[in-house]
Amino acid sequence: LSRTAMPPKAAAPVELPAPLPTDVPAGGLDVPIAAPTLNSEEAVEAFPGEFQLAPDERNRWLVLHFALPRTIMTADMAEGRSTEAELNDVLSGMAWGSIDADTSEWVLESEDPSLEPPHPSLISYTEYVARAYPSDDAMEEEARAENVSMAAQKRVAFTSPGEPGAKFRPMFDQMVKNLSHTNKALMRAYDIKKPLLNEEALPEDPARSDAQNIMRFGRHQVLPSFWQLLVQLVKKGRRFSLVLHSFQEDQLAVVQRELQLFCQGQHPAYDGKNKTQKPPPMSGDKGSRDLRLLDGCIGRVDRTAGRLEFAGRPAGDAPKTARPGEVAFVAP
């Protein structure tokens, strides 16, 4: 039998990646990330597992979503809870205890706050309060509303003297310290004595400057880690977009003003004055991406129509997909 050798199958065409632009803007977020040299002693991963990713995977576009309360801010203006109330509320959900058989009262058992119970038999103070003041839909509306109010009052006073979580007061104080300004030059410039935790006690004064109103509480309203995240992403050349979620327009306005000033290098705590550090430009200057939250980037969800509307954009300037690097807000 004679055998005829068959020609090898043609290899499937391989799509080559599009070449990177040669005229990327200086300092912009489109600048490609240089692949780290793995055998270099100076090589440091920007995040765990970075060196295990292919170069294109390391440079993927990041879309970062943040809910304003409890993520990058402490106060919840939609629910009317101050920073003091929110810090207590958070700790009440991370404190674990048991129920006294004689008094039916909750007794703290855990030494430190934690997301998970140190023992399966323990329940958090938040869960205990929810059991003590139930608010299910089967209840009459008046009784349900009263229980919701009572449960909230218990949680927001959790670490106060005489309350079940008084032992956690040092943790509360540490959280306040982490929010406070410690730069003495900055404190002198804005006459900061001690941090104020109840936002309603000192409303914004239209006669004062933006910087004075931002600093009036003597502490950060937006968590410093959020600003540091932006700085690190820009310095590393990461391509990203931000999506901020809020149920309350006044709360969004607080972040909008601070974000605009931060991107312009004019935020009172990050402007290079009073021994503060100034961030890289994020306002479109020097070829940078404009990350300011402009009015045209604020969208609202129309639940009836099931669509996201950007009322602040001129007609014909509302793309179906977000622009690269654009900061957007979604009101769910």
Side-chain angles (χ1 to χ4, degrees), residues 23-185:
D23 56 346
V24 292
L29 298 183
D30 285 333
V31 178
I33 299 175
T37 305
L38 300 184
N39 58 0
S40 171
E41 295 181 357
E42 299 179 356
V44 178
E45 288 188 326
F47 52 88
E50 179 189 14
F51 292 169
Q52 279 69 49
L53 299 177
D56 64 319
E57 292 178 319
R58 289 196 294 270
N59 201 26
R60 284 180 177 175
W61 202 287
L62 302 178
V63 180
L64 306 175
H65 291 255
F66 295 95
L68 299 189
R70 290 201 179 186
T71 305
I72 62 173
M73 295 187 71
T74 49
D76 188 339
M77 298 173 70
E79 297 293 334
R81 289 198 295 262
S82 67
T83 291
E84 181 175 17
E86 281 289 86
L87 295 183
N88 272 295
D89 200 352
V90 167
L91 286 173
S92 73
M94 301 173 66
W96 304 91
S98 58
I99 300 177
D100 187 283
D102 297 326
T103 64
S104 297
E105 295 292 328
W106 183 88
V107 180
L108 179 64
E109 301 284 355
S110 57
E111 295 293 330
D112 299 298
S114 62
L115 295 175
E116 298 295 333
H119 191 275
S121 64
L122 303 180
I123 66 170
S124 69
Y125 185 69
T126 296
E127 184 180 351
Y128 165 76
V129 169
R131 294 182 185 181
Y133 301 95
S135 56
D136 56 80
D137 295 335
M139 299 176 60
E140 293 185 2
E141 184 58 32
E142 184 177 351
R144 181 178 178 276
E146 183 178 355
N147 277 5
V148 169
S149 177
M150 288 297 298
Q153 291 178 35
K154 290 288 186 180
R155 296 194 309 271
V156 301
F158 178 61
T159 65
S160 299
E163 294 296 327
K167 182 181 176 181
F168 272 18
R169 193 65 183 187
M171 290 78 163
F172 175 92
D173 293 337
Q174 182 61 48
M175 294 169 76
V176 174
K177 184 178 180 180
N178 292 343
L179 291 172
S180 303
H181 294 293
T182 57
N183 181 332
K184 293 183 179 180

